[in-house]
Amino acid sequence: MPENFEADLVFSCGGENFLPVADVWLVIDVLRATTVMTRWFELGGTELYPVKSPDEARQLVLDLKERGSSPLLMGEVNGIPPEGFDLGNSPIELNYDLIQAHYCGVMSTTNGTVALNEAFNTGSPVIAVSFRNLSACLDHALTFGTRIGILCSGRKKRPSWEDTLCAGALLEILQTRGEVSMSDSARIALTVWQSRDKNLLAVVEKSTHAEYLKRIGYGRDIIFACEMDASTVVPMLESDKKSQIILRSVKGSARPYKNNFHDERAGIKNENNFSTLTPGTALLTEPDPFEALLDYTKQPPEFFLRKENEN
C-alpha cells in the first residue's frame, strides 16, 4: 500500500524564518555549499563542520588543532575565499590527495552553512542535498518519517532559482514513492521544476548566482553541480563531543559513482571527468578566479550602475 507523505518548503534561510514541524529536513544549496559537501565525502573525507561565519570557522580550526586535528578551512564570502582560508567553496578545487591529508574540514559559506544550522535547531534530522546526491538523500530521509521539510538556502534571504529547481526535483521523486500532500510553496517548486527546459545546465546557468559565478571564474562549478544523481553520498548532521554540529556521511551510503560527466562545449569526456575517485587524478579547473574577479572590477562605472550588487 502506497505511503502518504506531507511536504513543506521554505525558500530561503537567514530571514528569521519559522521552520514548520518535520520528521526530517533536507537542506539545499546547489551553488555551491551542499555540492561541495557531497564532493568532500565522495573523495573520502570523514568529518565536516558547517559554521555560520568566517570568524567562527577560524576559531573552530584553532580549537580542533588543540585537540590534535589538522582541519582544512574552506568557504566563501560573496563567492570568494575569506582571508586565511585554505580553499574557497568550489567542488572542483577538492581532490583525493588533499582530502587524504585533511580528513577533517571546517566550512563557512554565505547561505548553505547558515541554513544547515537553522535546520539543526529544529531538533529533527538534517541532510545536505544537491543535484548530485538527490535520490540517495531522499531515500534515506524517508526512513525518518513521512513529514518532509525542505529548506532552500536561497540568496540574499530570498528564493534562488537553482535551489528552487532542486527542491522541485526532490518533490517529483517523492511523488513516485506515494501520495504527497504539499504546501503551496512546495507546489510552486514542483511547478517550476516540471515546466523547465529539459537541459538542466542551461536552465541553472540563467540564475543570477550562476551568472555571478561565471563572471568571477567559477563556471565549471556550475557544470559539476548539475550532474544529476552522480553520487550516493548522504551527508547528515550530528553533534560531536563538544556539542558542535558536524556532517558525516551516512555509513554505507557511498557506492560507486556514475562516471557520466560530459561537457561537450569544452570537449571533456568520461576518461577525464569530475566524478572519478581514482587517487591522484587531476581535476579540471577554471582559470585563476582572482584574475577573473580583477577583470570584472575593471568594468566601466556605468556597468555597475545597471546591475544590482551581487552577493
Side-chain angles (χ1 to χ4, degrees):
M1 184 174 180
E3 287 212 62
N4 295 315
F5 300 103
E6 297 176 22
D8 205 344
L9 182 146
V10 177
F11 281 114
S12 66
C13 71
E16 304 299 327
N17 291 314
F18 170 75
L19 297 185
V21 175
D23 294 323
V24 60
W25 278 97
L26 297 164
V27 174
I28 300 169
D29 189 359
V30 170
L31 300 176
R32 297 164 286 166
T34 54
T35 300
V36 172
M37 293 164 186
T38 302
R39 184 60 174 168
W40 174 268
F41 294 109
E42 287 177 10
L43 291 168
T46 58
E47 299 177 344
L48 186 57
Y49 290 86
V51 298
K52 293 181 286 187
S53 72
D55 286 342
E56 185 180 346
R58 294 185 187 100
Q59 183 58 54
L60 180 56
V61 165
L62 294 176
D63 295 343
L64 290 170
K65 286 182 176 178
E66 288 182 358
R67 299 184 220 168
S69 183
S70 177
L72 189 71
L73 178 57
M74 54 188 182
E76 54 78 27
V77 173
N78 295 328
I80 302 299
E83 183 179 356
F85 275 47
D86 301 311
L87 285 178
N89 190 36
S90 170
I92 62 176
E93 287 179 352
L94 292 172
N95 60 58
Y96 180 87
D97 292 334
L98 188 61
I99 301 300
Q100 291 302 299
H102 302 275
Y103 71 90
C104 174
V106 175
M107 185 176 185
S108 171
T109 68
T110 306
N111 299 299
T113 58
V114 173
L116 284 167
N117 277 268
E118 286 186 4
F120 188 78
N121 289 337
T122 67
S124 296
V126 179
I127 297 171
V129 184
S130 65
F131 280 120
R132 291 187 63 80
N133 61 348
L134 201 69
S135 295
C137 287
L138 180 60
D139 287 344
H140 189 67
L142 295 183
T143 66
F144 294 102
T146 58
R147 295 176 300 177
I148 309 302
I150 302 172
L151 176 57
C152 297
S153 298
R155 193 160 182 256
K156 299 180 180 180
K157 301 181 183 181
R158 296 177 181 179
S160 70
W161 182 242
E162 66 279 0
D163 291 349
T164 302
L165 282 167
C166 190
L170 266 176
L171 290 162
E172 184 176 72
I173 298 171
L174 182 60
Q175 285 186 317
T176 69
R177 307 294 196 264
E179 296 294 323
V180 186
S181 174
M182 297 187 195
S183 66
D184 287 346
S185 54
R187 289 181 182 277
I188 290 170
L190 180 62
T191 300
V192 167
W193 170 253
Q194 292 181 334
S195 62
R196 77 197 186 283
D197 185 286
K198 297 305 179 184
N199 184 330
L200 178 59
L201 175 59
V203 174
V204 170
E205 283 185 320
K206 294 177 182 177
S207 72
T208 56
H209 196 180
E211 290 176 351
Y212 175 65
L213 288 174
K214 285 187 284 186
R215 285 200 295 269
I216 64 172
Y218 290 106
R220 288 287 180 85
D221 287 1
I222 305 163
I223 301 169
F224 184 88
C226 289
E227 193 179 4
M228 179 80 78
D229 274 338
S231 175
T232 57
V233 163
V234 179
M236 190 166 175
L237 280 179
E238 56 185 76
S239 291
D240 71 2
K241 295 178 181 179
K242 301 288 185 178
S243 298
Q244 178 74 43
I245 69 169
I246 184 172
L247 280 166
R248 291 192 172 98
S249 180
V250 172
K251 188 174 181 180
S253 68
R255 300 188 297 274
Y257 312 108
K258 301 175 185 177
N259 291 333
N260 59 354
F261 182 84
H262 184 190
D263 179 8
E264 293 181 355
R265 292 171 302 179
I268 303 163
K269 297 186 178 181
N270 287 342
E271 57 266 29
N272 189 16
N273 63 71
F274 292 122
S275 298
T276 180
L277 284 179
T278 305
T281 299
L283 293 179
L284 298 169
T285 58
E286 276 283 359
D288 186 344
F290 296 100
E291 289 186 11
L293 180 60
L294 181 61
D295 290 340
Y296 178 53
T297 61
K298 291 177 181 177
Q299 295 285 348
E302 58 268 23
F303 175 85
F304 295 97
L305 293 175
R306 293 197 303 267
K307 288 278 186 177
E308 178 185 1
N309 289 333
E310 298 288 353
N311 181 14

